[in-house]
């Protein structure tokens, strides 16, 4: 049945209301939102691929870095929750930054999300493809760039299809994938710690210490590098807010899910990092986490030793491979979701071509946006694989800059939006001070990343005497500026503030496409008077 199309689905916005873009409302509850948020960070994959490098940078104090990186993530999650409470819009940073700072800033916020998600899809696909072969014993194919790419492209295609089919099948699949992942991570930590305290851990193991949880005595360069890595592994929880318009309680559940997920993640990351450091130690030989040969995948290096060779151990070792595979696959899926909804919102407000706002009449999902996300991700992945695997590696590292950019922008947008709407200590803290601190922290991370990544000695590539990671990160943002300038000439209404100004403007759903009509001047004045008394 085709969804009816009322002539106008939006009056000027009020707190807790959002223009309807045709998505399926009430499809998700709080638990499903939390599952999507945690799945989007891919805990097993993130730890496997990052923990070793954090240990190489700071040694036994890797758990302290997990705690330290949690702070800005929680601050930004608070900003997301407060902005979502005011206006649950699937455009998230794009919509909120546009309302706070103007159309061009909002457009760049939306572009930051798109660029980061497209880049990380390449790495997720590569991991999923490689682990898929290892799971069935085809290690030779797992080492082949060609066959790994083929499998990675297949993963992206499958996950794009699942997202196209609807938000509810996506949520159900995520619950299964996250359950496997959670059980295996808990088992890994328990096995490792039991062996450490029983004295059966291999040579080089360490007894956990409270000092591991405090970052004292770490040099500034090492601290900067470790925090940048840890920020990356927390990224993704904002997917829960990107599906706010499809949530049963859109003004509260997505924000709660964002905050709860960051707390769950800090618990997972701290416990697993303590267990891993204690079991393997930080030595530079064998299974030691200081051994650079183990850094790219600590679970592959430690799995057999941690679980042992009995039947249960072999089962858990196989499940460890499955968990990293499902983690990367789940994150692939939950990366497509927010990007498709972000481009849907941008198109609905006239910031992208109108076709990106098309909604499937039965599944009530963004059709063109979802398909384009899959197609562009595949093209980017295949293109960089052909050009150079080193460039692909550096592009993944560069996503840290894009994450800091749009997370920081969201923190500043929250503080600015509510600067004149704080009516008590709670509002001052939650709507202004904490988001502002989160924005400032992310700004500092962005600046430090620029300095660190510009060093030609950092990363795998150098372009014109500058580190390739910096070139990719800044280049992605500059490409966004170029595209914005071009599109502002093609479709200037959004950039003139005619389709989005403090909620004014009517959004209409016709022929399955949501679009916003230019705002009436009287609506602008009323909205401005209401929001800025």
């Amino acid at each position: 049945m085709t969804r009816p199309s009322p002539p106008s689905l939006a009056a000027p916005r009020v707190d807790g209301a959002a223009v309807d873009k045709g998505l399926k409302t009430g499809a998700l509850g709080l638990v499903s939102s939390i599952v999507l948020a945690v799945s989007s960070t891919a805990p097993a994959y993130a730890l496997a691929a990052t923990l070793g490098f954090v240990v190489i940078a700071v040694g036994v104090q890797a758990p302290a870095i997990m705690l330290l990186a949690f702070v800005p993530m929680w601050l930004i999650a608070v900003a997301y929750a407060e902005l979502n409470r005011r206006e649950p819009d699937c455009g998230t940073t794009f919509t909120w930054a546009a309302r706070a700072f103007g159309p061009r800033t909002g457009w760049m916020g939306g572009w930051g999300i798109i660029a980061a998600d497209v880049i990380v899809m390449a790495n997720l696909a590569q991991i999923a493809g490689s682990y898929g072969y290892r799971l069935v014993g085809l290690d030779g194919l797992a080492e082949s760039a060609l066959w790994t790419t083929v499998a990675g492209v297949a993963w992206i295609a499958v996950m794009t299809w699942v997202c196209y089919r609807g938000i509810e099948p996506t949520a159900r699949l995520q619950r299964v994938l996250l359950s496997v992942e959670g059980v295996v991570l808990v088992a890994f930590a328990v096995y490792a710690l039991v062996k450490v305290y029983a004295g059966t851990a291999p040579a080089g193991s360490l007894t956990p210490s409270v000092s591991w949880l405090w970052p004292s005595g770490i040099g500034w360069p090492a601290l900067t590098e470790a925090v940048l890595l840890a920020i990356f592994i927390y990224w993704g929880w904002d997917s829960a807010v990107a599906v706010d318009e499809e949530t049963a309680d859109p003004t509260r559940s997505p924000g709660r899910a964002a905050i709860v997920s960051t707390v769950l993640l800090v618990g997972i990351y701290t416990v697993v990092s303590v267990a891993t450091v204690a079991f393997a130690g930080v030595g530079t030989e064998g299974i030691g986490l200081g051994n650079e040969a183990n850094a790219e995948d600590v679970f592959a290096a430690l799995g057999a030793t941690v679980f042992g060779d009995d039947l249960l151990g072999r089962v858990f070792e196989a499940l460890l491979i499955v968990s990293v595979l499902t983690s990367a696959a789940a994150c692939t899926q939950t990366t497509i979701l927010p990007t498709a909804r972000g481009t849907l919102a941008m198109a609905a407000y006239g910031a992208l071509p109108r076709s990106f706002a098309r909604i499937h009449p039965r599944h009530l999902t963004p059709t063109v946006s979802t398909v384009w996300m899959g197609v562009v991700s595949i093209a980017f992945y295949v293109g960089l694989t052909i050009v150079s695997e080193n460039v692909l590696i550096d592009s993944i590292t560069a996503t840290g800059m894009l994450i800091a950019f749009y997370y920081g922008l969201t923190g500043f947008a929250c503080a600015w939006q509510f600067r004149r709407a704080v009516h008590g200590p709670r509002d001052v803290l939650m709507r202004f001070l904490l988001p502002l601190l989160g924005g400032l922290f992310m700004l500092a991370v962005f600046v430090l990343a620029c300095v660190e990544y510009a060093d030609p000695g950092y990363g795998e590539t150098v372009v014109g005497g500058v580190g390739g990671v910096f070139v990719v990160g800044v280049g992605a943002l500059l490409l966004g500026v170029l595209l914005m300038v071009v599109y502002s000439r093609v479709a200037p209404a959004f950039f003139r503030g005619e389709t989005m100004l403090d909620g004014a403007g009517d959004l209409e759903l016709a022929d399955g496409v949501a679009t916003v009509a230019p705002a009436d001047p009287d609506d602008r004045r009323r909205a401005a008077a209401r929001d800025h008394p």
Side-chain angles (χ1 to χ4, degrees), residues 58-149:
V58 299
V60 296
Q61 288 168 299
I65 299 300
M66 301 302 170
L67 291 172
L68 181 61
F70 160 74
V71 175
M73 285 297 169
W74 181 78
L75 294 174
I76 297 301
V78 168
Y80 268 81
E82 292 300 321
L83 286 167
N84 182 79
R85 184 179 179 185
R86 182 175 190 265
E87 182 181 13
D89 191 289
C90 66
T92 61
T93 300
F94 157 74
T95 303
W96 302 328
R99 297 207 190 282
F101 304 122
R104 286 172 174 77
T105 304
W107 201 97
M108 286 303 300
W111 172 254
I113 297 174
I114 295 169
D117 286 350
V118 168
I119 289 173
V120 81
M121 284 283 282
N123 187 245
L124 293 170
Q126 187 177 46
I127 293 295
S130 175
Y131 268 77
Y133 289 130
R134 290 180 184 178
L135 181 63
V136 294
L138 300 176
D139 291 351
L141 294 182
E143 300 298 325
S144 167
L146 172 61
W147 288 107
T148 299
T149 302

Side-chain angles (χ1 to χ4, degrees), residues 11 34 43 72 77 91 100 125 128 179 183 225 271 367 376 378 399 450 470 493 529 531:
I34 293 172
S179 296
V183 168
E225 180 178 359
V271 171
T367 53
V376 172
I378 289 173
T399 56
C450 288
F470 175 85
D531 289 341

Side-chain angles (χ1 to χ4, degrees), residues 419-442:
R419 71 194 188 283
R420 296 177 182 173
V422 288
H423 305 295
R426 190 267 179 198
D427 284 354
V428 172
L429 182 66
M430 301 295 285
R431 292 186 162 191
F432 184 77
L433 286 179
L434 295 183
L436 179 61
L437 287 174
L440 290 172
F441 197 111
M442 288 298 171

Side-chain angles (χ1 to χ4, degrees), residues 6 20 65 75 113 137 149 152 170 186 227 291 319 324 337 350-351 388-389 518:
D20 183 357
I65 299 300
L75 294 174
I113 297 174
T149 302
T170 297
V186 169
V227 169
N291 185 346
L319 286 176
V324 177
L337 281 178
S388 169
E389 287 196 27

